[in-house]
Amino acid sequence: MSMATKARAPATAPIKGRGAASYVPGRYEATTIEACDDGWDARDPGDDTAPAPHPDTRVHEEAARGIISRNQSPDLGFDQSINPYRGCEHGCVYCYARPSHAWVNLSPGLDFETRLFAKTNAAERLRAELSRKGYRCSPIALGVNTDAYQPIERRYRITRELIEVLAEFRHPFRLVTKSALVQRDLDLLAPLAAQGLVNAHVSVTTLDNRLSARMEPRACAPHTRLRTIRALADAGVPVGVLVAPVVPAITDHELESILEAAHEAGARAAGYALLRLPHELGEIWKEWLQLHFPDRAAHVMSLVRQMRGGRDYDGGFGRRMQGQGPFAQLLAQRFARTRRRLGFPGLPPLDTSAFGVPPAPGAQGQLF
């Protein structure tokens, strides 16, 4: 649905089970409608208890023209990625992928977590792209923009189908998720890990259940993510933890405790990333701050700007993940000291040498 058909009412209260609180317009919208009080409301003038919207989740099935995305960013540890879904029902208010919904004329706010797209031909496209002559094998990151194991994966199973294709080609890949649903696929992941073809990272933002429920309302609880790290490690899947995002004055004090809990659970590697606020996400985030932390909203944004060269966001390579300035440097020192103290050994490299295109079904094999 186009944002031009929606009136964006100012958010006066959080929406239970959702991260965003309103339909923040996308940057490509030609027309937006702002709701305002013209004095003709039929309710009592003193009644400010109008119910908040409770949008349902809708999934649009689409056929992808291509499935492997490529990047040249020096900040990322991969140059190929696959995202089985667009939008994410986890509803993480801080998600840097929210602005991508503006490309399809939808709100990076509520639409991002309620209007989802499932790439139902993803496995077919992946098989075709890996079979192309001249394809160069390098590890693929699965689910780095939106979570490949978000709730609708239980129904669509697109991520599992992609893993099955990657297994056929013996293609290395890495997973990033905050969902316990990844454990469903341990029957595939464990033997691939034994061949050096997969590793995983689990994202942990906070260990506070109440805070997690407000920031990432439909994602797994923190203790469930720690159990997921343990399940992956016990199955022989090399697993690390991503403390992401680190939010100044809200979660930054938990950096050491998250690393300690993840290490105890079996994480072999650790990384972190600062809160990033590209494009419309800045407005979504500041709206959330005013609803949940009005007493410290100004302080949080002041610290964000100190780490972003005086702006809400600095997307420059080499700065966007860890920021700059004294506060960012302090975080980097704390992280490095804790990682060194705990002795994370790191994840083993993925093996690209085993990659090969399997014979087409029905193809006659060689006799000699």
Side-chain angles (χ1 to χ4, degrees):
M1 181 185 294
S2 168
M3 275 296 299
T5 64
K6 296 174 183 163
R8 185 198 171 208
T12 57
I15 302 173
K16 185 176 181 179
R18 298 298 180 187
S22 68
Y23 292 98
V24 171
R27 59 195 178 281
Y28 302 122
E29 293 293 338
T31 305
T32 60
I33 300 173
E34 289 285 340
C36 65
D37 182 5
D38 59 5
W40 287 94
D41 196 321
R43 293 177 294 124
D44 258 347
D47 180 11
D48 60 356
T49 60
H54 286 82
D56 59 347
T57 300
R58 300 180 187 177
V59 183
H60 173 73
E61 298 179 2
E62 65 176 3
R65 288 180 292 181
I67 197 62
I68 300 178
S69 300
R70 293 175 173 83
N71 76 85
Q72 297 179 337
S73 170
D75 296 321
L76 304 177
F78 57 87
D79 58 12
Q80 299 194 122
S81 62
I82 296 175
N83 292 291
Y85 304 101
R86 286 196 287 167
C88 186
E89 196 177 3
H90 282 160
C92 305
V93 67
Y94 51 72
C95 182
Y96 61 83
R98 282 182 175 273
S100 64
H101 246 44
W103 301 343
V104 289
N105 205 33
L106 289 171
S107 168
L110 281 171
D111 280 339
F112 178 79
E113 53 196 281
T114 62
R115 299 297 178 261
L116 312 179
F117 296 81
K119 302 174 184 178
T120 52
N121 68 333
E124 173 190 339
R125 292 306 314 148
L126 178 59
R127 185 174 284 107
E129 292 179 33
L130 296 183
S131 298
R132 288 175 181 165
K133 290 184 178 179
Y135 172 78
R136 181 183 63 85
C137 177
S138 66
I140 288 175
L142 188 55
V144 292
N145 202 43
T146 57
D147 203 316
Y149 284 102
Q150 61 177 283
I152 59 172
E153 167 63 16
R154 294 186 184 277
R155 169 187 172 190
Y156 283 96
R157 299 173 68 87
I158 298 173
T159 299
R160 184 174 177 88
E161 291 176 359
L162 289 168
I163 293 174
E164 290 171 340
V165 173
L166 291 166
E168 290 175 25
F169 286 78
R170 301 188 70 186
H171 195 295
F173 64 102
R174 50 177 57 102
L175 294 164
V176 181
T177 186
K178 59 183 63 172
S179 173
L181 183 56
V182 67
Q183 298 177 61
R184 178 201 64 187
D185 293 339
L186 284 176
D187 62 315
L188 298 175
L189 298 175
L192 291 171
Q195 302 171 56
L197 295 177
V198 65
N199 61 41
H201 276 87
V202 175
S203 171
V204 181
T205 313
T206 176
L207 298 177
D208 182 333
N209 284 349
R210 292 185 177 181
L211 177 57
S212 178
R214 287 191 279 174
M215 295 182 71
E216 37 199 24
R218 299 199 178 195
C220 292
H223 63 274
T224 303
R225 297 185 214 179
L226 294 174
R227 286 203 298 263
T228 299
I229 291 175
R230 170 54 61 194
L232 288 164
D234 287 349
V237 180
V239 58
V241 63
L242 289 176
V243 187
V246 176
V247 183
I250 293 182
T251 69
D252 67 278
H253 66 283
E254 296 188 70
L255 181 61
E256 290 83 358
S257 56
I258 292 173
L259 292 173
E260 290 166 358
H263 183 267
E264 177 67 22
R268 299 176 56 177
Y272 80 100
L274 283 179
L275 175 70
R276 296 161 54 190
L277 299 175
H279 303 298
E280 300 88 351
L281 183 54
E283 183 177 353
I284 296 165
W285 172 254
K286 284 182 276 190
E287 182 176 75
W288 183 89
L289 274 179
Q290 288 296 332
L291 292 173
H292 293 274
F293 292 97
D295 58 326
R296 70 180 88 167
H299 180 53
V300 171
M301 290 310 300
S302 174
L303 290 173
V304 167
R305 294 180 185 117
Q306 288 176 41
M307 295 186 289
R308 300 298 187 188
R311 301 183 293 276
D312 287 352
Y313 181 56
D314 176 8
F317 289 159
R319 301 188 301 272
R320 58 180 177 157
M321 297 300 186
Q322 273 76 50
Q324 56 185 327
F327 194 88
Q329 292 169 7
L330 178 60
L331 283 176
Q333 292 167 7
R334 289 170 53 196
F335 174 81
R337 183 173 62 249
T338 306
R339 183 172 61 176
R340 186 168 54 249
R341 171 172 60 84
L342 294 172
F344 286 96
L347 302 183
L350 294 172
D351 181 13
T352 59
S353 66
F355 171 77
V357 178
Q364 183 175 353
Q366 293 182 352
L367 295 178
F368 305 102

